[in-house]
Amino acid sequence: MTVVEEEHPTVPLWRQGLRVFAENRLALVGAGMFVLLAALSFLGPLFYHTDQVHTDLTAVNLPAGSPGHPLGTDGVGYDQLGRLMLGGQTSIIVGLAAGVLATAVGTIWGAVAGFAGGWVDSAMMRVVDAMMSIPALFLFMLLAAIVTPSVPMLIFIIGAFAWLGPARLVRGEALSLRSREYVQAMRAMGGTGGRAVRSHIVPNAIGTVIVNATFQIADAILYVAYLSFLGLGVPPPAANWGGMLSDGLADTYSGHWWLLYPPGIAIILIVLAFNFIGDGLRDAFEVRLRRR
């Protein structure tokens, strides 16, 4: 009797990853939270028109629920809901761009150092150790005081120093991965170090890279808040959630709670969103969790 083997079609890896991501309920919640915050920030001003350039001293510190001002106004008359939308644009753009920049630089640096080993690894990691010995916030403050803060400058400043953590993490992964059989087999067949880093080291460290990227984005948003609190953020009439939070802290003792809670809640939600998304992406990209 002839046994006919049932053929199972191979599921594309991207579809497997999407299925694993969809099975993570917290990841879907995080994605939904980010979509809502991004829609509020970038699409909201198209439907809710406010003047975020000129101050209105006749409408200062109006409470939440005032006619025409659902979240009230701040100390110079800006509509708080419109300010929240404008601030979200700056915070999200700087956070995403600086986090991606820092993760990309750190991934390349750490992968090359860990795969090369020897004196190359020692020299590259001494650079990282030397830069990490200087408090990052101090460097950000110094550079922000020297140059005029702007969105592109904040992205460059934060990304230029936030890559040190990802570099150390990826370097540890590379040290472990470079001794694997498939990497050794590729090198034995004449494969170059660059191909090994590009095709094996970085893809197999993607879980670490993705999870760390979420923290980098959250940290970038918080660094913008720190700089804004010290008066070194993007100058008015531009806004960001961190600057709004610092302004709200100054007015909290006067009972103006609507200046503090909306930006604070927005920061908490977007940080949680990126952490949830990062956990889902880690599972989706992790090779050993892909269903064959």
Side-chain angles (χ1 to χ4, degrees):
M1 182 177 61
T2 304
V3 179
V4 180
E5 296 183 358
E6 182 180 357
E7 296 183 359
H8 296 277
T10 302
V11 180
L13 291 180
W14 67 267
R15 188 171 297 177
Q16 297 179 39
L18 184 62
R19 180 171 57 188
V20 173
F21 183 87
E23 291 174 353
N24 190 321
R25 299 301 175 86
L26 285 179
L28 295 180
V29 170
M33 290 164 57
F34 173 70
V35 170
L36 289 176
L37 290 172
L40 172 69
S41 301
F42 293 96
L43 299 180
L46 300 178
F47 303 95
Y48 184 77
H49 304 284
T50 60
D51 186 355
Q52 296 296 322
V53 177
H54 304 95
T55 60
D56 183 5
L57 299 182
T58 63
V60 174
N61 290 328
L62 295 179
S66 298
H69 303 286
L71 292 181
T73 62
D74 62 10
V76 294
Y78 286 130
D79 181 84
Q80 186 71 351
L81 178 56
R83 204 74 177 157
L84 193 70
M85 296 176 182
L86 182 64
Q89 294 178 17
T90 302
S91 298
I92 292 175
I93 290 173
V94 173
L96 283 173
V100 170
L101 176 62
T103 302
V105 174
T107 298
I108 295 172
W109 190 279
V112 172
F115 180 79
W119 67 268
V120 175
D121 178 36
S122 298
M124 294 179 70
M125 297 313 296
R126 294 299 77 75
V127 173
V128 173
D129 293 339
M131 295 183 66
M132 292 189 73
S133 65
I134 305 174
L137 186 57
F138 172 77
L139 292 175
F140 296 153
M141 291 171 55
L142 178 62
L143 289 177
I146 295 174
V147 299
T148 302
S150 63
V151 170
M153 188 56 63
L154 285 176
I155 293 172
F156 174 78
I157 291 174
I158 296 174
F161 294 97
W163 61 271
L164 304 174
R168 293 178 67 94
L169 289 174
V170 176
R171 181 248 184 183
E173 291 286 329
L175 287 174
S176 173
L177 292 170
R178 70 174 184 173
S179 60
R180 301 291 176 86
E181 291 80 2
Y182 51 84
V183 176
Q184 297 298 325
M186 188 273 294
R187 295 300 302 274
M189 291 187 293
T192 62
R195 181 179 178 183
V197 170
R198 182 177 63 255
S199 302
H200 296 290
I201 302 300
V202 172
N204 284 283
I206 196 66
T208 299
V209 171
I210 292 297
V211 172
N212 186 260
T214 62
F215 287 104
Q216 293 300 317
I217 294 171
D219 287 346
I221 294 174
L222 293 177
Y223 280 131
V224 174
Y226 299 155
L227 294 174
S228 298
F229 183 82
L230 298 172
L232 299 173
V234 180
N240 64 81
W241 289 337
M244 294 177 62
L245 184 61
S246 64
D247 294 338
L249 286 173
D251 289 334
T252 301
Y253 299 105
S254 301
H256 302 154
W257 59 267
W258 60 90
L259 301 180
L260 176 66
Y261 291 111
I265 292 174
I267 291 175
I268 293 173
L269 290 179
I270 199 166
V271 170
L272 287 175
F274 280 115
N275 280 286
F276 293 158
I277 293 172
D279 288 338
L281 290 176
R282 178 196 59 191
D283 294 344
F285 282 103
E286 190 66 41
V287 175
R288 65 175 178 271
L289 293 182
R290 290 176 179 160
R291 296 181 179 178
R292 298 293 180 179

